[in-house]
Amino acid sequence: MSTPLWITATPPASHGELHIGHLAGPYVAADVLSRFLRADGQPVLFSTGTADHADSVEVRALRGGRKPEEVAEGYRAAITADWLRSGVEFDHIVRPRHDRGYQRWQQNIFLELFARDAIVARTRLQPYCTSCERWLYGAFVVGACSSCGARADGSLCQACARPTDADLIDPVCALCGSAGRPRRCRRLYLPLEPMRDALADHWASTALPPRLTALCRGLLDDGLPDVCVGHPGDWGVPIPIDDFGEHRIDACFESVVMQLFGYGQDDEPLPERAIHFCGFEHAFCHAVLLPAILIARGMKLPQEIYVNETYRVDTDRGTVDGGPGVWALDLLTEFGSDTLRRHVLQLRPLGRSTGFHRDELHRTRQVLEATWNSWLSRLFTAVREDCRGLVPDVEPGGTGWEALRRRLHRAAEDLREAYGPDAFDPRRAVAVLDEVVNCAADFGYVNVFERDQPRGERGHLPAVAAQLAVACALTSWAWPVMPEGATRLAAALRLKAGSPVLPEALRPPGPGTRLEPPSGPVFGF
C-alpha cells in the first residue's frame, strides 16, 4: 500500500468520562484491528479526537455553573487517560482547542464548500426557549424523533440514526423543560439531494452492514435531507462567513472534518482504504455526511464501516449515564485492562444490543484465572522444578502433540481471519484463544504422568517444551485482545510481544533460556 490503512473511531463528546459502553463500542475493537495489522507489518494510521465543542459540553457546563472550556478540558484529560489505561493506542488524538491549525482547517473546508454552493443559507422554523432566551438545537432540546418516535435530542436520533434538528415532535428545552416555540431562524445547510446519484453510487460500492444499508436506502426513498451545519451560539468554531459571525459550526459537521484533520493535510493523498468504527447512532456522520463533504470537494474515499449497537447496563445495578460501577476508570482499576478488553469483545453488540452485568465481568476474570493463569502457573512451576528455570533442550513433543500442533496451526489461521479487516470478528478471536489455552491445559494434564515413568523427568520435558511453544504463540496471538498480559508473558519468556499472528509463532524459546515468570497473574489481576 502506498498510503497507510486509515482506522478511525468516533470522537467522544468531552462532557463526561468514558463508561463501559464506550469501550464495548468502537474503541477496543478498533485497537484490536490496529494492533493486528501493525504486527503483520502493514502501515496503519489510527486516529480519533475529542468532540470538545459538542453541544452537550455547553449544556453540562450551564447545569453545573461552569465554563464550557473547563468541562471540555477536564473530561478530555479523563477520556485520554482511560484510553491509555485500557490499552487503546492511537497515533493521533485531535485536540480541537490545542492542535495548531485546527480551527483554520475547519473554517477553510467550510469556506470551500460555501464557495462551491454546497453550503447554502435557509430560513426555517427552529424551536426557541423564551425562558432561557436560547435557540434550541443539539443537546439543548429533547423531543420525539419524527421518523421513529423515539426520544431524541436535536442532532441525531440514537434509535434510527437520522438527523432530527428542527423536526422533533413536541420539543422542550433540555435546561428548563419549557416547550420550544417555533421561530424563523436563518442558518446554513448542506443539501444532500443534489448529491443523490453520487451518494447512491458511493453506498452501492461500499460494503455497509445491513442495518446501515437500510438507513441509506430509507434516506434515498424519503428524499435526502438538508443537513444543518451551523447554529447561533458562542461555543465552538466560529463560522467565517458574513452575516453568520455569531454562528458556530455544528458539532456533527465538525466531528467529520476533525477526522480528516486527524488523517493529514490536503496535499497528502487520501488512503486507499479507510475503516470507521462507530456506534449506530453516529453512523449518519460516517456513512452520509463524510462522503457528502468529500463528494462536494471532488474527492473519493473507499470506506468500510464497522457499526456496533447499544451496550446496555443492568438497570438493577445502575445506568450508563450515572450508575455505580460502570465507568471505565473504576472498572479498569478493579479488573485491569485484560479482563475488561476481553469481556467487551466477547459481548460486542453486533446486530443487536447486548448488556453489561457486573457478575458476568467477574466470571470473565475467573475464566482468565482458572484457565489461562492456572495453566501458565503449572507450566512455569514445571520449568522451575524440572529444568532449574531453564528452557529444556528437547524438541516439543508428548502424547497427542502432533494432533494438537495441527489443531493449533488451524487456530492461527482462524485468528488471522477473525483479526483481519475482511472478516473482522473479535468475538470469534476470543473463542479461538480460549480453545487454544484449554487444549494446551488438557495436553499438560495428560502428559504430566510422564514424570512418574521409569525414564524419569526427561520423558516429561518434550511436553513442557510443547506447552512453552503454545505460550510463546500467545505472546503474538493474544496481543491484539489482551496486550498487557501478552506483554507480561513475553517478558517471562524473554521475547518481544506483538509479533505477527502466524503458525510460525508456535515454537519455544531457545534451549537454556532462563525464564522470568511474573510474581502475580499473567493475564488480568
Side-chain angles (χ1 to χ4, degrees):
M1 299 177 66
S2 58
T3 58
L5 184 147
W6 183 27
I7 302 174
T8 73
T10 300
S14 51
H15 65 262
E17 299 177 37
L18 293 183
H19 53 65
I20 182 69
H22 291 114
L23 296 182
Y27 304 116
V28 171
D31 182 73
V32 168
L33 178 60
S34 173
R35 286 179 181 274
F36 167 74
L37 293 173
R38 290 181 198 281
D40 218 36
Q42 299 188 44
V44 173
L45 176 65
F46 183 24
S47 69
T48 189
T50 52
D52 296 348
H53 296 139
D55 316 314
S56 54
V57 172
E58 188 176 9
V59 169
R60 182 72 178 257
L62 291 170
R63 286 174 173 168
R66 303 170 63 191
K67 295 180 179 179
E69 51 267 31
E70 294 174 348
V71 172
E73 288 299 313
Y75 284 119
R76 181 183 60 78
I79 289 168
T80 53
D82 288 343
W83 280 330
L84 183 63
R85 293 191 63 172
S86 62
V88 178
E89 295 184 351
F90 292 100
D91 295 302
H92 188 184
I93 300 174
V94 178
R95 303 173 302 163
R97 298 181 55 78
H98 296 279
D99 284 4
R100 180 176 297 178
Y102 174 81
Q103 179 169 301
R104 184 174 64 254
W105 172 279
Q106 289 278 346
Q107 292 176 329
N108 285 346
I109 291 182
F110 203 96
L111 283 170
E112 177 188 345
L113 296 179
F114 185 76
R116 292 172 178 259
D117 294 326
I119 289 179
V120 296
R122 298 274 195 268
T123 299
R124 293 180 178 167
L125 293 178
Q126 181 75 18
Y128 186 84
C129 178
T130 56
S131 299
C132 297
E133 297 182 343
R134 179 180 294 276
W135 291 103
L136 301 183
Y137 56 85
F140 284 100
V141 59
V142 293
C145 174
S146 60
S147 297
C148 70
R151 181 177 174 82
D153 65 14
S155 55
L156 297 170
C157 176
Q158 292 194 4
C160 69
R162 292 200 178 203
T164 50
D165 188 37
D167 297 328
L168 287 174
I169 300 171
D170 298 326
V172 298
C173 177
L175 293 175
C176 71
S178 299
R181 305 299 181 185
R183 288 189 179 182
R184 292 170 62 83
C185 183
R186 185 169 177 79
R187 294 193 294 169
L188 292 167
Y189 293 82
L190 178 68
L192 300 183
E193 191 61 35
M195 308 180 202
R196 166 179 284 270
D197 292 342
L199 284 171
D201 290 344
H202 172 78
W203 294 329
S205 64
T206 301
L208 297 176
R211 192 179 182 195
L212 199 47
T213 298
L215 169 65
C216 296
R217 287 176 179 170
L219 291 170
L220 289 170
D221 292 343
D222 297 340
L224 295 174
D226 293 353
V227 180
C228 180
V229 294
H231 53 74
D234 51 14
W235 175 244
V237 178
I239 291 179
I241 295 173
D242 293 342
D243 300 330
F244 293 94
E246 296 182 357
H247 289 223
R248 298 296 181 267
I249 294 177
D250 181 78
C252 186
F253 181 95
E254 182 184 348
S255 177
V256 169
V257 177
M258 181 191 303
Q259 299 281 36
L260 297 175
F261 181 84
Y263 180 77
Q265 303 299 317
D266 269 346
D267 56 359
E268 297 180 7
L270 285 174
E272 297 176 10
R273 190 175 186 183
I275 298 177
H276 307 296
F277 284 78
C278 67
F280 180 72
E281 67 274 16
H282 295 111
F284 182 90
C285 294
H286 295 276
V288 182
L289 189 55
L290 174 57
I293 290 174
L294 293 174
I295 288 169
R297 301 181 71 202
M299 305 169 72
K300 292 183 179 181
L301 175 64
Q303 288 180 274
E304 298 167 49
I305 302 177
Y306 295 163
V307 175
N308 61 269
E309 301 291 337
T310 304
Y311 192 59
R312 304 183 315 277
V313 171
D314 184 353
T315 55
D316 292 334
R317 303 174 186 271
T319 64
V320 164
D321 291 333
V326 301
W327 302 114
L329 175 61
D330 297 334
L331 294 173
L332 287 165
T333 301
E334 182 177 356
F335 293 93
S337 68
D338 287 341
T339 303
L340 205 60
R341 285 173 66 103
R342 175 203 161 97
H343 185 76
V344 300
L345 291 170
Q346 191 172 21
L347 297 178
R348 180 166 162 76
L350 290 176
R352 71 196 189 286
S353 295
T354 55
F356 169 72
H357 303 273
R358 194 176 181 86
D359 54 351
E360 293 179 353
L361 185 56
H362 279 283
R363 282 197 291 272
T364 297
R365 178 161 63 183
Q366 290 168 2
V367 168
L368 287 175
E369 185 58 30
T371 304
W372 289 59
N373 291 331
S374 179
W375 164 63
L376 288 170
S377 177
R378 295 193 301 273
L379 176 58
F380 287 135
T381 297
V383 174
R384 184 182 68 250
E385 294 180 352
D386 299 346
C387 312
R388 296 173 298 156
L390 305 177
V391 175
D393 189 9
V394 295
E395 289 296 318
T399 301
W401 171 241
E402 286 305 314
L404 176 58
R405 184 178 61 81
R406 290 193 297 270
R407 183 180 301 174
L408 293 172
H409 278 214
R410 292 194 298 270
E413 296 302 323
D414 286 346
L415 284 169
R416 286 191 62 81
E417 181 179 67
Y419 284 143
D422 296 327
F424 183 70
D425 188 357
R427 294 182 301 179
R428 172 63 179 154
V430 171
V432 173
L433 290 171
D434 277 346
E435 181 182 356
V436 167
V437 173
N438 281 317
C439 288
D442 290 343
F443 174 83
Y445 279 126
V446 168
N447 283 272
V448 73
F449 295 100
E450 287 287 344
R451 297 183 67 184
D452 300 327
Q453 299 299 319
R455 291 174 297 172
E457 295 177 356
R458 296 298 302 179
H460 172 55
L461 297 187
V464 171
Q467 293 175 77
L468 285 173
V470 179
C472 288
L474 287 177
T475 66
S476 61
W477 295 359
W479 188 68
V481 171
M482 295 180 286
E484 187 174 0
T487 300
R488 279 197 290 263
L489 180 57
L493 298 169
R494 310 295 290 270
L495 300 173
K496 180 181 178 181
S499 298
V501 178
L502 293 169
E504 289 76 13
L506 190 68
R507 59 176 181 269
T513 301
R514 179 168 296 280
L515 304 188
E516 298 181 357
S519 58
V522 177
F523 290 92
F525 57 78

